[in-house]
């Protein structure tokens, strides 16, 4: 048995004890038993949980039950949880209030209210309810201990920890700097509670960090690395500490690496890509599970996990496996064996193929493979390629990337995020800055270029669990159309439409179009269309990262005399005096301004003009030294060579879009 497999099995044994979780409905206790105890799946988030269809059905079932008996408290609790899961928070609160009036001080009411207020980002209130629930029923959090409460308290402290400059601590209150052993050995660390917490909230990034520490100390470097990587992908606020742990593991691997046997240690990027590919695989499985569940719902409000799983198997959907994570034997990950073996196998395979199918067929196969490899036969190229002016190929992380090359300039665009990552007029230097540590692994947004932030700017106004800067930059967009203009410019139009995924974040029906027009200047038009029946409000940003030679010798002109909200000083309203020069962290929302900005990069001897339409706010951002270090996908020295000038709809610059209506925001980048 492979050493990695043996280690894996040991860890599985350790984790395979039955657990109870934060169980707060009539049906969930039985389901707990069926959720995986397999640690690798927990890390990857690949375990059964109900989809929106299930909760919709719960609403129908409980409506009937309550019509028959309005005092049925259990039914009302299930109904409230269904509202909560469907992000209909006000309706959930109304139901909990009704319960509290008729049957006050119930454990479930307060446990669920704790979850609800955590979702709304009101951590003090969430903590109050969880404390109350534990006082009512001290054993209520069987399998979870006080970990949920610790999680809430930690979430509420992140900002202070960041600002105080003190060594941050994990949610068990142990400083990251004390190392993995301190966490793993602390009396408060309990694997069972940890596992249950991940089941209750698999996006809680610090639980994965702590699990990584526990696994590392148990000697399972592979699973530990994976847990750390997942914590990083989930935007852990202290990702530099994660990088330290990962470096530690890599050092260990380097020592243990059996080089003589021809094995290699794959690079960090390779591992990152590999784990993010597996994450996508896990997400696909969960989506397939929930789709299958939706098909099996029969109006009774029941959906047994085991039944759904076996139906899924029958439908041919296999559970992904993650056993091959032998990071030390790098070549094995890719090719299933050392190089010599795989070369030999490929050679033998080719000979057999030649003998069986003959030269003609082989020729066709090779031709097709070349077509695929070069992207020539890709349906996107056939439909939108414009004779090679636009080329779709696999870019970093295997993601689809369009390269536009015309008589004026070249540009690159990823469909993930509708994200422009390069723009360079011929004879000039690259205009956009890209992070060398950017992660090309959906749903993570790409760092650098032009992220599309939409439908809100910055943190969600009420729910901190929702992605910062909206969700458009985390989604795969589709190609809408492509066009060559008579003057040689090229327009590539991408589109993002509402679907189940977007509705999980934002309940509206929409179409978001990004037109990328590449000429001597880069024109980006972001059009928000309301294709539903209710009006909605949009904010957002074309969050452009500009490349500079030297921030110390650069300035931004055009905002002199304008007022800005200083995001680093509690949104204090201040007035710009002269040009903006950056010599510390800068994070400002300039308000009531439609002005064009000019970036003067003295060291590079160039100016870039940033014009706009449909925007009355502009954000200027540079993370400077400390924040650069805190961001996992941003190089420590990155702040020296970039500045973000963002065309935004931020703060009060929001737009209501009526059904059938649209809002258009434009950014025009002209390197002078
Ligand atoms: C800017 C915000 O627009 O984006 C900053 O004003 C933020 O506060 C920055 O740090 C980067 O955000 P993110 O989510 O891409 O790390």
């Amino acid at each position: 048995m492979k050493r990695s497999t043996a280690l894996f099995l040991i860890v599985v044994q350790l984790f395979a004890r039955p657990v109870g979780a934060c169980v707060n409905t009539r049906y969930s206790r039985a389901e707990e038993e069926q959720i995986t105890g397999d640690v690798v799946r927990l890390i990857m988030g690949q375990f059964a949980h109900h989809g929106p269809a299930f909760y919709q059905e719960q609403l129908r079932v409980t409506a009937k039950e309550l019509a028959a008996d309005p005092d049925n408290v259990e039914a009302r609790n299930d109904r409230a949880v269904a509202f909560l899961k469907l992000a209909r928070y006000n309706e959930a609160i109304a139901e909990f209030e009704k319960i509290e009036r008729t049957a006050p001080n119930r454990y479930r009411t307060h446990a669920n209210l704790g979850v609800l207020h955590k979702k709304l980002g009101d951590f003090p209130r969430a903590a109050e309810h969880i404390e109350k629930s534990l006082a009512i029923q001290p054993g209520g959090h069987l399998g979870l201990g006080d970990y949920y409460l610790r999680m809430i308290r930690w979430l509420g402290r992140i900002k202070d920890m960041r600002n105080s400059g003190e060594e941050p601590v994990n949610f068990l209150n142990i400083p990251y700097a004390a190392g993995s052993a301190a966490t793993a050995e602390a009396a408060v660390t309990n694997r069972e509670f940890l596992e249950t917490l991940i089941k209750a909230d698999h996006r809680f990034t610090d639980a994965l960090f702590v699990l990584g520490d526990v696994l590392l100390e148990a000697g399972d470097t592979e699973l530990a690395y994976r847990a750390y990587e997942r914590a990083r992908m989930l935007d852990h606020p202290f990702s530099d500490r994660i990088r330290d742990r990962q470096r530690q593991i890599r050092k260990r691997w380097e020592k243990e690496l059996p080089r003589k046997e021809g094995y290699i240690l794959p690079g960090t990027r390779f591992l990152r890509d590999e784990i993010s590919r597996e994450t996508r695989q896990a997400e696909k499985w969960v989506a397939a599970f929930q789709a299958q569940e939706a098909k099996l719902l029969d109006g009774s409000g029941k959906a047994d996990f085991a039944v759904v799983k076996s139906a899924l198997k029958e439908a041919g959907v296999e559970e992904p496996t993650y056993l091959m994570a032998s990071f030390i034997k790098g070549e094995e990950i890719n090719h299933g064996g050392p190089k010599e073996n795989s070369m030999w196998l490929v050679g033998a395979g080719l000979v057999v193929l030649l003998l069986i199918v003959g030269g003609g067929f082989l020729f066709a196969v090779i031709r097709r493979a070349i077509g695929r490899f070069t992207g020539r036969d890709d349906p996107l190229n056939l439909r939108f390629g414009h004779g090679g002016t636009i080329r779709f190929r696999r870019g970093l992380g295997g993601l689809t990337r369009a390269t536009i090359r015309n008589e004026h300039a070249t540009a690159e665009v990823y469909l993930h995020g509708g994200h422009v990552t390069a723009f360079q007029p011929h004879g000039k230097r690259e205009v956009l800055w890209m992070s060398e540590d950017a992660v090309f692994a959906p749903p993570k947004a790409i760092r650098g270029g032009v992220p599309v932030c939409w439908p809100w700017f910055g943190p969600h106004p009420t729910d901190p669990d929702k992605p910062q800067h909206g969700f458009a930059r985390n989604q795969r967009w589709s190609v809408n159309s492509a066009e060559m203009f008579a003057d040689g410019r090229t327009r590539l139009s991408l589109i993002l439409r509402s679907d189940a995924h977007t509705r999980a974040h934002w309940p509206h029906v929409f179409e978001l179009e990004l037109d990328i027009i590449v000429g001597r200047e880069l024109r980006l038009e972001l059009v928000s269309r309301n294709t539903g029946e209710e009006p909605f409000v949009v904010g957002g940003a074309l969050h452009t990262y500009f490349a500079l030679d030297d921030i110390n010798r650069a300035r931004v002109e055009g905002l002199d005399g304008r007022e800005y909200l200083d995001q680093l000083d509690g949104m204090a309203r201040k007035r710009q005096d002269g040009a903006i020069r950056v010599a510390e962290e800068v994070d400002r929302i300039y308000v009531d301004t439609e002005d064009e900005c000019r970036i003067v990069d003295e060291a590079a001897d160039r100016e870039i003009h940033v014009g706009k339409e449909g925007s009355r706010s502009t954000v200027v951002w540079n993370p400077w030294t400390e924040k650069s270090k805190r961001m996992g996908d941003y190089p420590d020295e990155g702040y020296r060579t970039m500045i973000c000038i963002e065309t935004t709809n931020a703060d009060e610059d929001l737009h209501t879009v009526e059904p059938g209506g649209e809002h258009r925001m434009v950014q025009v980048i002209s390197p002078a």
Side-chain angles (χ1 to χ4, degrees):
M1 188 189 293
K2 273 183 13 184
R3 200 176 56 94
S4 58
T5 314
L7 273 174
F8 172 81
L9 290 176
I10 293 167
V11 176
V12 167
Q13 291 303 316
L14 286 169
F15 275 77
R17 282 170 289 159
V19 289
C22 196
V23 175
N24 299 316
T25 54
R26 281 176 294 178
Y27 46 84
S28 43
R29 168 71 68 184
E31 287 169 351
E32 280 305 314
E33 304 299 322
Q34 294 186 37
I35 302 180
T36 184
D38 172 346
V39 71
V40 74
R41 290 192 189 145
L42 283 181
I43 295 173
M44 305 311 287
Q46 190 229 305
F47 48 86
H49 46 274
H50 294 302
F54 173 84
Y55 292 109
Q56 296 288 4
E57 181 159 298
Q58 281 295 317
L59 290 183
R60 285 190 289 274
V61 170
T62 53
K64 270 193 218 150
E65 287 176 331
L66 289 167
D69 174 11
D71 296 330
N72 184 340
V73 174
E74 293 298 347
R76 199 170 294 286
N77 181 70
D78 289 356
R79 183 169 183 77
V81 169
F83 280 132
L84 163 59
K85 293 282 185 180
L86 292 167
R88 291 164 64 174
Y89 301 121
N90 290 339
E91 288 154 286
I93 290 174
E95 294 295 344
F96 286 128
E97 278 172 356
K98 272 187 208 157
I99 298 175
E100 196 58 11
R101 278 199 296 273
T102 51
N105 293 329
R106 294 185 84 235
Y107 162 76
R108 283 184 181 178
T109 308
H110 290 285
N112 286 329
L113 277 169
V115 175
L116 186 144
H117 287 293
K118 184 216 146 219
K119 280 204 163 287
L120 290 174
D122 188 344
F123 301 123
R125 200 135 170 219
E128 254 172 47
H129 282 291
I130 296 291
E131 273 163 11
K132 195 158 183 184
S133 75
L134 290 175
I136 297 168
Q137 191 177 316
H141 275 58
L142 187 70
L144 193 57
D146 63 350
Y147 270 30
Y148 204 87
L149 189 57
R150 285 176 180 272
M151 166 176 78
I152 290 168
R153 289 192 178 136
W154 183 85
L155 288 170
R157 284 177 63 191
I158 295 178
K159 240 196 188 141
D160 284 350
M161 283 199 276
R162 275 177 156 167
N163 294 339
S164 71
E166 278 168 29
E167 179 54 37
V169 294
N170 64 23
F171 84 104
L172 299 180
N173 221 6
I174 300 156
Y176 297 107
S180 50
T183 299
E185 285 156 16
V188 74
T189 308
N190 179 311
R191 287 183 176 211
E192 191 174 317
F193 293 171
L194 200 53
E195 179 178 343
T196 312
L197 183 62
I198 294 173
K199 285 182 189 174
D201 192 335
H202 69 271
R203 301 190 72 79
F204 178 46
T205 172
D206 202 51
L208 287 155
F209 194 152
V210 171
L211 178 61
D213 281 353
V214 171
L215 292 166
L216 182 55
E217 289 309 305
D220 197 327
T221 50
E222 296 164 13
L223 280 177
Y225 194 93
R226 197 187 276 272
Y228 291 141
E229 190 60 30
R230 288 284 302 140
R232 217 179 66 87
M233 287 166 78
L234 290 168
D235 280 330
H236 195 283
F238 306 107
S239 57
D240 51 332
R241 308 302 197 280
I242 297 183
R243 274 195 296 197
D244 292 345
R245 297 282 207 277
Q246 288 183 316
R247 268 188 219 123
Q248 198 180 318
I249 295 180
R250 290 185 68 82
K251 270 194 197 146
R252 215 147 127 180
W253 287 346
E254 259 157 28
K255 260 199 222 146
E256 292 170 14
L257 189 66
R259 282 202 176 71
K260 283 195 198 122
E261 290 168 41
Y263 293 122
I264 56 145
L265 179 57
T268 346
R269 166 144 286 156
F270 176 90
L271 294 182
R272 214 178 266 175
D273 284 354
E274 193 63 12
I275 294 171
S276 67
R277 187 186 57 73
E278 290 177 358
T279 308
R280 287 201 292 278
Q281 182 181 296
E283 279 167 357
K284 262 196 197 155
W285 183 85
V286 173
F289 176 91
Q290 295 185 346
Q292 186 67 50
E293 180 189 60
K295 275 191 215 157
L296 291 178
L297 291 170
D298 60 1
S300 66
K302 291 191 194 98
D304 191 88
F305 284 163
V307 174
V308 178
K309 271 193 185 172
S310 71
L312 205 56
K313 264 210 177 126
E314 268 166 36
V317 181
E318 287 299 322
E319 288 218 26
T321 46
Y322 307 96
L323 276 168
M324 54 27 149
S326 176
F327 292 143
I328 299 175
K329 300 179 181 178
E331 283 291 306
E332 276 197 341
I333 301 172
N334 240 350
H335 312 296
K339 229 176 192 156
E340 295 79 357
N341 286 346
S342 59
M343 289 312 290
W344 187 88
L345 274 175
V346 169
L350 275 179
V351 170
V352 172
L353 199 67
L354 262 175
L355 289 175
I356 297 174
V357 292
F361 182 62
L362 189 64
F363 177 69
V365 169
I366 292 172
R367 203 166 164 264
R368 196 150 166 225
I370 292 173
R372 285 246 152 139
F373 182 71
T374 58
R376 199 187 53 205
D377 294 346
D378 189 307
L380 282 176
N381 284 323
L382 297 173
R383 266 188 81 191
F384 302 111
H386 278 279
T389 314
I390 307 178
R391 232 161 201 260
F392 295 88
R393 290 186 65 173
R394 275 156 67 95
L396 294 166
L399 304 177
T400 306
R401 174 175 65 196
T403 306
I404 301 166
R405 173 177 284 278
N406 59 28
E407 64 189 70
H408 303 291
T410 55
E412 279 181 6
V413 182
Y414 277 81
L415 296 191
H416 171 54
H419 202 123
V420 181
T421 52
F423 168 60
Q424 185 169 17
H426 297 318
K428 300 212 163 165
R429 310 165 63 169
E430 174 58 56
V431 174
L432 303 179
W433 180 90
M434 272 300 299
S435 164
E436 62 200 49
D437 290 339
V439 177
F440 289 80
K444 178 108 183 133
I446 298 169
R447 175 74 65 192
V450 190
V452 177
C453 306
W454 192 92
W456 57 85
F457 174 83
H460 185 272
T462 55
D463 185 351
D465 276 356
K466 297 218 162 136
Q468 147 112 335
H469 287 326
F471 50 78
R473 62 177 180 164
N474 313 102
Q475 305 274 322
R476 188 183 201 270
W477 294 49
S478 310
V479 182
N480 188 32
S481 64
E483 193 183 344
M484 287 291 298
F485 294 134
D487 61 8
R489 288 179 307 151
T490 308
R491 182 174 65 83
L492 175 64
S493 164
L494 304 183
I495 203 135
L496 180 71
R497 293 192 175 91
S498 45
D499 59 14
H501 223 88
T502 66
R503 274 194 291 276
H505 298 298
W506 202 59
H508 303 290
V509 183
F510 67 86
E511 195 175 87
L512 182 65
E513 183 175 330
L514 178 68
D515 287 351
I516 302 154
I517 300 161
V518 179
R520 293 302 289 174
E521 54 183 36
L522 177 66
R523 185 179 171 89
L524 301 171
E525 298 193 12
L526 186 69
V527 189
S528 314
R529 283 193 197 99
N530 187 338
T531 46
E533 278 156 18
E534 302 289 328
F536 57 63
V537 175
V538 289
L542 290 163
H543 187 307
T544 311
Y545 289 72
F546 290 96
L548 298 175
D549 259 16
D550 183 1
I551 186 80
N552 295 316
R553 293 177 55 207
R555 62 181 189 276
V556 179
E557 294 178 345
L559 293 166
D560 184 17
R562 292 288 172 200
E563 292 200 323
Y564 63 87
L565 307 174
D566 191 342
Q567 302 215 74
L568 303 171
D569 187 11
M571 293 296 224
R573 212 175 176 95
K574 300 180 181 170
R575 199 182 162 81
Q576 182 63 40
D577 185 13
I580 305 167
R581 290 185 184 271
V582 179
E584 59 183 346
E585 186 178 347
V586 166
D587 193 352
R588 302 173 181 170
I589 305 176
Y590 286 84
V591 292
D592 287 330
T593 164
E594 289 173 310
D595 304 307
E596 174 183 292
C597 290
R598 288 173 304 285
I599 305 170
V600 185
D601 182 7
E602 285 170 19
D605 193 21
R606 82 163 163 187
E607 272 189 28
I608 302 169
H609 293 206
V610 188
K612 61 178 190 165
E613 295 161 28
S615 149
R616 292 191 52 79
S617 49
T618 296
V619 169
V620 178
W621 179 64
N622 181 297
W624 211 244
T625 50
E626 291 313 304
K627 185 154 184 172
S628 294
K629 286 188 196 138
R630 286 203 300 270
M631 288 187 286
D633 57 354
Y634 188 102
D636 291 357
E637 299 292 319
Y639 71 95
R640 291 180 189 276
T641 52
M642 58 72 65
I643 190 160
C644 281
I645 304 293
E646 306 167 34
T647 296
T648 59
N649 289 141
D651 188 50
E652 286 174 5
D653 177 22
L654 301 176
H655 293 264
T656 302
V657 188
E658 298 293 338
E662 64 176 43
H663 167 64
R664 182 176 298 257
M665 183 168 80
V666 180
Q667 185 178 59
V668 185
I669 300 170
S670 328

